[in-house]
Each structure stands twice: as C-alpha cells, then as structure tokens.
Amino acid sequence: MPSLCRLLLVGLLLGLTTACSPEKSKPLRIGINAWPGYEFLYLAQEKGFYREAGVEVRLIEFFSLADNRRAYERGQIDVMGSTVVEVLQARDQSARQPQIVQVVDYSDGADVILARPGVDSGAKLRGARIGVELASLGVYILARGLEKNGLTLGDVTVVSMDQTSMVEAFRKGELDAVVTYPPISVEMLRQPGSKVVFTTREISGEVVDVIAVEAEVCVTRREDVARMLRAFHRAVEYAGKEPAEAHAYMAKREGISTAEFTAALTDGIKMIPETEQAAYFAPGGKLSLVINTSDRILRETKQLNGPDRRAGILNSDFIAP
C-alpha cells in the first residue's frame, strides 16, 4: 500500500508539473500563393532565418489568392500573404479581423491583362471572354483596366477560373483574355501572339501586397510575429547581397527560370524595405490611400457588401520608427 501511495503521489506531482509548464507554441501558419514578393517568406525558411530568429513557422501554399483568403476566414491560417483587396474581403465576409502589419511590395507592371492575337489594346476588350479569379484581386485589376479604356465589367463576359486553369483555356482559345501575374503570366507570354494590353504600371502603387495577421495573434503572440517579420526582412536583405543564389531558390519553387524570376521581380514589382514601412503606415499615408481606393472599387463592383470595416485594419506596432 505505501508503494501504491508513492506511485500516486509521483503521478500527481508529474501532472502538476505538466499543467504548470507553458505549452509549446504552435507554428505560425502562413498562407501564400505563387507570387515573387511572397517568395521571400519561403526563402527565410530555406535559409533557416525563422529558426535563428526563434520562431516556428509553417508555410501553407494555395493555388490562388481567393483560396488563401478563404482558408484564413475559416481559421486555418494565422497569417496571410495577400493584397489589400483580400484583407478587406476577409473582414467583410467573416468575423475575423486581419490586420496589416507589413508591406511586402507594390505591383508596378507585374499584374496584367493578357489578350489573344487580334486583341491588341484594352479598348478592344469589349465583348471579350476574360478569365478572372473571382472574389480576389483579379476583379479589381480587370475593373481598373477596363475603366482606363472607357469600359466597364458590363462590357465583357467574366469567366471564373483559377490561375492554373487559365493556361490551358487560353491556349485552346476558350478565352479572349485573362487577368494574371507571375509566374503564370511568364508561362502564358510564351504562347505565340499573346499580348499584354494592360498592366499595373498604369495604376502604379494601387496594388499593394502585405502581410496580414489576425488581431488576436498580434496580441497573444506578439514576439512570434515580430520574429517572423525580422526573418522576412533578413531574407529580403540576403537577396540584395546574394541575388543569384536567392533568385535561383525562389525561381525553382515557382517553376520558372532564374532569369524569368529576376525579370518579374525587378521589372514589375517594387519591394518595400524595412526603412520605408513607416511612411506607408503613417496616418493618411500611402497605405491608407490604397485601402480607401480599394474599398471604393470593391464596393462599386459588388465585391464588398457589408458595413465599413476599415477601422483597425492597420497595426503599426511592428514598424520601426
């Protein structure tokens, strides 16, 4: 009996020790889709920068921005690499509260409307069948591209399609045009006669890629978020010092050549260094203007239908002064 008592006492003490020990933090779950700017989150993992920063991260890849956003809305990821558009949509269509904590880049020509032979300008898109990722940035790009050419969404037929499916549909002639971006746009431009009829260079600075984190996570896991962002910026800095090696890593994952990846990154995307973050997050600054413009266009195109949920969308706690 004494032996049994001792065993019970040891078990009780072990249970108390376990109960009092802090549970090991779960990995920060980060959702991304193929886009050169988000690849630095992957590069940080490949180079061990998250581990060295003291944070465990799990990258989860999706086929599209819309799939990424829906996973976020379901609570399957904590962090979302996306554009401002998806952040606004996630707030509109769910109870979650993503907050923008960092600007990754802005599109300066990388997002395009690509057309078949014979459609050599945006003005000739009237009546066209256009492949678009619905419920995502694609509709915004299309709306702005048509607007620049005196057209509206009512002047075209919008065909809902993910980026991967667009390649074959465009090749078969089932679509007259598509809204796309690297690496898919790189592949599609290899098709004879395909032509870019609109790029985000015409609305430079409007399409901004960001890292968004659930508001509760920003509070309960503040240090993990800060460490993740430090690792991300370390990856960006590393690529600046060792571009050949870094671009080769990222190009391989996207399925394009290193030269194609470098061209997409340097000729259509503007990365935002850590030193420029404060200017974006300043009251009435660049990011606020983008959020307000995006909200307007999304409401005009019926992509946002609920009450205004822009309040609290920016979190500058992780921005160096």
Side-chain angles (χ1 to χ4, degrees), residues 1-295:
M1 193 68 164
S3 298
L4 178 59
C5 289
R6 281 197 296 272
L7 287 172
L8 289 173
L9 179 60
V10 170
L12 178 61
L13 290 173
L14 286 173
L16 288 172
T17 302
T18 303
C20 295
S21 299
E23 183 183 353
K24 187 181 185 298
S25 294
K26 296 178 181 178
L28 273 179
R29 301 166 300 171
I30 305 176
I32 60 172
N33 66 290
W35 169 257
Y38 303 146
E39 290 301 329
F40 293 92
L41 289 163
Y42 165 74
L43 182 62
Q45 176 178 270
E46 288 299 293
K47 299 302 295 183
F49 295 158
Y50 295 125
R51 182 180 64 254
E52 292 174 16
V55 61
E56 188 177 356
V57 159
R58 181 185 171 204
L59 291 180
I60 304 171
E61 186 171 2
F62 296 92
F63 285 115
S64 69
L65 283 165
D67 288 341
N68 190 5
R69 174 182 57 77
R70 283 188 283 267
Y72 184 90
E73 291 171 1
R74 292 191 292 263
Q76 295 170 334
I77 54 178
D78 313 298
V79 183
M80 180 169 60
S82 73
T83 74
V84 168
V85 167
E86 284 75 38
V87 177
L88 287 166
Q89 289 176 323
R91 284 178 157 248
D92 181 68
Q93 297 176 31
S94 73
R96 302 204 80 195
Q97 299 183 65
Q99 293 184 322
I100 298 171
V101 299
Q102 207 84 175
V103 177
V104 173
D105 60 60
Y106 68 84
S107 180
D108 188 42
D111 292 273
V112 300
I113 299 177
L114 187 65
R116 63 169 173 75
V119 181
D120 56 9
S121 71
K124 290 187 178 180
L125 289 172
R126 186 184 299 274
R129 289 174 52 82
I130 304 179
V132 186
E133 286 182 48
L134 291 183
S136 75
L137 172 69
V139 178
Y140 180 95
I141 297 290
L142 179 57
R144 292 292 282 125
L146 293 172
E147 185 178 69
K148 285 284 185 178
N149 288 279
L151 303 174
T152 69
L153 290 174
D155 294 316
V156 301
T157 300
V158 174
V159 181
S160 177
M161 194 171 293
D162 64 54
Q163 288 287 307
T164 305
S165 302
M166 286 179 194
V167 178
E168 187 65 11
F170 189 72
R171 187 188 67 78
K172 290 180 177 178
E174 296 170 356
L175 299 171
D176 301 305
V178 295
V179 180
T180 185
Y181 47 83
I184 297 298
S185 60
V186 174
E187 182 177 352
M188 296 182 76
L189 278 168
R190 296 174 187 150
Q191 298 188 26
S194 58
K195 182 180 178 62
V196 173
V197 296
F198 174 79
T199 85
T200 45
R201 191 158 289 155
E202 297 182 48
I203 54 170
S204 186
E206 276 191 33
V207 177
V208 177
D209 291 285
V210 301
I211 296 174
V213 182
E214 184 60 23
E216 182 182 1
V217 175
C218 287
V219 175
T220 60
R221 303 188 62 180
R222 179 187 175 92
E223 189 55 37
D224 281 345
V225 174
R227 290 171 176 171
M228 177 267 292
L229 294 174
R230 284 198 295 272
F232 166 75
H233 283 294
R234 185 179 172 190
V236 174
E237 291 168 7
Y238 177 81
K241 295 174 183 175
E242 301 288 345
E245 181 189 347
H247 292 183
Y249 266 118
M250 297 186 283
K252 182 178 181 180
R253 203 180 83 89
E254 294 219 336
I256 57 179
S257 72
T258 301
E260 289 170 331
F261 181 88
T262 300
L265 189 64
T266 58
D267 192 40
I269 297 170
K270 301 295 184 185
M271 297 297 295
I272 308 301
E274 200 167 10
T275 54
E276 295 180 20
Q277 296 290 324
Y280 274 83
F281 280 80
K286 298 177 182 179
L287 202 44
S288 292
L289 293 174
V290 170
I291 290 168
N292 293 338
T293 300
S294 299
D295 187 83

